[in-house]
Amino acid sequence: MSVLNFLGQKWVLHLPLPWICPIKALTGYPCPGCGLTDAFRFLLQGEVRLAFFTNPLVFLVLAILISIAILPEKTLITFQKKRGWECLLVLVLGWWIFRLIFGL
């Protein structure tokens, strides 16, 4: 089983990703999620710093995915009660504005 897992990781880490963001293709500006796929790939390779500089939202997305995987109902209820979705939206839009201003 571990051999299959290892082979699967090797395959995923070397996938060519010809994906072009539709927002960037239409407007010329990156969307807030541009770079998340590369950032996740860097995390899988153990390149934490490179993942952060590619798109720091990768850690937020990863934390949310892990919490939903572990406690799906509790996470979603907590997000709804504590205005988590609004906070998430502010963080994502803040990163996007920062990225557009500084050309990252």
Side-chain angles (χ1 to χ4, degrees):
M1 185 65 161
S2 62
V3 172
L4 290 177
N5 187 18
F6 175 75
L7 292 174
Q9 286 178 0
K10 284 292 193 185
W11 179 75
V12 168
L13 294 177
H14 297 291
L15 275 177
L17 296 172
W19 173 257
I20 297 171
C21 174
I23 292 174
K24 190 170 185 175
L26 289 173
T27 65
Y29 297 107
C31 74
C34 278
L36 275 177
T37 304
D38 286 332
F40 272 108
R41 191 176 68 202
F42 291 138
L43 275 180
L44 285 173
Q45 293 173 338
E47 299 285 343
V48 177
R49 184 175 176 196
L50 195 53
F52 177 79
F53 286 114
T54 302
N55 192 334
L57 292 178
V58 70
F59 300 104
L60 180 64
V61 171
L62 186 62
I64 291 170
L65 289 175
I66 289 171
S67 64
I68 288 175
I70 294 172
L71 299 167
E73 292 177 15
K74 186 173 182 173
T75 301
L76 294 176
I77 289 171
T78 302
F79 252 75
Q80 290 171 349
K81 285 185 179 178
K82 299 198 178 196
R83 304 185 79 125
W85 298 115
E86 289 91 350
C87 292
L88 182 63
L89 181 64
V90 168
L91 283 171
V92 170
L93 290 177
W95 161 245
W96 192 31
I97 291 168
F98 180 83
R99 181 180 220 177
L100 291 175
I101 290 172
F102 293 102
L104 301 175

